[in-house]
Amino acid sequence: VITSATAEGRTAKLIIVGTIPVVLVGLTLSKWLKATFYHPHAIAWVAILFALLMATAEWWAARRRHNGLPERGDTELTWGDAILVGCFQALALMPGGSRSGTTITAGLFAGLARPTAARFSFVLSLPSILAAGVKEIYDWLKDADLASDQLREQAAAMLVGGIVSAIVGYLSIAWLLQYLRVNSMLVFVWYRLILGATILALIASGFIAS
């Protein structure tokens, strides 16, 4: 039985608290976000900004270790950690911001060990992913012709796609957790910097419209 006194119950409460910011932002600012950030120029600068934040978080974590400050583990997560990571997850609603990279960045700023930050990032993603999936199914059912002969084929394709996505997502997260046990996020910093710079260069050359 999961109660508030168990580790699982406390983690569940932290997940709920951490999910609140992204729900509030998604419900109140979704139209503004789409109007403001859903174009290549904004995506490029958001990618660069979050790359710099990620690099700063790695520097901050290294500085803490150099000064002998302990990194906190899974059992030491606080309500403040959940709120901070949740706010960064809300920021990742801007296209160009990686949800996992952004939330791990927040965890490092909070003084969490990198594996702990990655694990909490993963479990915090579950409610958002589930809600997005339910909304997609609802929108599909709302627009679908329930009397259509293709409905069963469409449902089967959606089911297979969902299962494949879940498996790939799980394997990706498992790899990421293992990678972050012994490596920093600097490779992802360079990836996002290169991505942002490439988009800006393509805009400047006229290859893509801003």
Side-chain angles (χ1 to χ4, degrees):
V1 178
I2 295 178
T3 67
S4 59
T6 66
E8 293 84 358
R10 185 172 182 277
T11 300
K13 287 188 173 183
L14 290 172
I15 293 170
I16 293 172
V17 170
T19 303
I20 291 174
V22 73
V23 172
L24 292 177
V25 172
L27 291 176
T28 61
L29 298 177
S30 59
K31 291 183 178 179
W32 177 79
L33 287 170
K34 289 181 179 180
T36 305
F37 294 102
Y38 277 59
H39 56 85
H41 200 266
I43 291 172
W45 283 112
V46 169
I48 291 171
L49 172 62
F50 280 113
L52 296 176
L53 279 174
M54 196 180 295
T56 304
E58 284 288 352
W59 168 83
W60 177 253
R63 184 172 180 271
R64 285 176 56 87
R65 288 192 297 271
H66 178 74
N67 292 334
L69 296 175
E71 295 178 319
R72 292 181 290 118
D74 296 353
T75 61
E76 299 170 290
L77 284 164
T78 67
W79 302 111
D81 297 331
I83 293 171
L84 177 64
V85 176
C87 288
F88 269 67
Q89 179 173 242
L91 290 176
L93 290 175
M94 295 183 291
S98 161
R99 197 214 64 83
S100 58
T102 303
T103 49
I104 293 172
T105 293
L108 293 182
F109 276 129
L112 300 179
R114 194 179 292 109
T116 295
R119 278 190 292 270
F120 188 64
S121 168
F122 169 64
V123 297
L124 189 62
S125 72
L126 298 179
S128 300
I129 293 173
L130 178 61
V134 170
K135 186 179 184 302
E136 287 291 327
I137 293 173
Y138 170 78
D139 291 341
W140 173 71
L141 289 174
K142 183 176 64 174
D143 298 332
D145 180 4
L146 298 180
S148 172
D149 293 336
Q150 297 179 342
L151 181 61
R152 183 177 300 175
E153 295 179 3
Q154 292 173 350
M158 181 176 288
L159 178 62
V160 171
I163 292 173
V164 171
S165 297
I167 293 173
V168 172
Y170 175 82
L171 293 176
S172 299
I173 291 296
W175 174 84
L176 179 62
L177 290 175
Q178 186 63 33
Y179 177 85
L180 292 178
R181 290 181 186 276
V182 293
N183 297 283
S184 72
M185 295 193 298
L186 291 181
V187 64
F188 304 108
V189 171
W190 284 110
Y191 159 72
R192 303 198 70 75
L193 288 174
I194 293 171
L195 173 65
T198 300
I199 294 174
L200 291 176
L202 292 174
I203 293 173
S205 67
F207 188 81
I208 59 176
S210 60

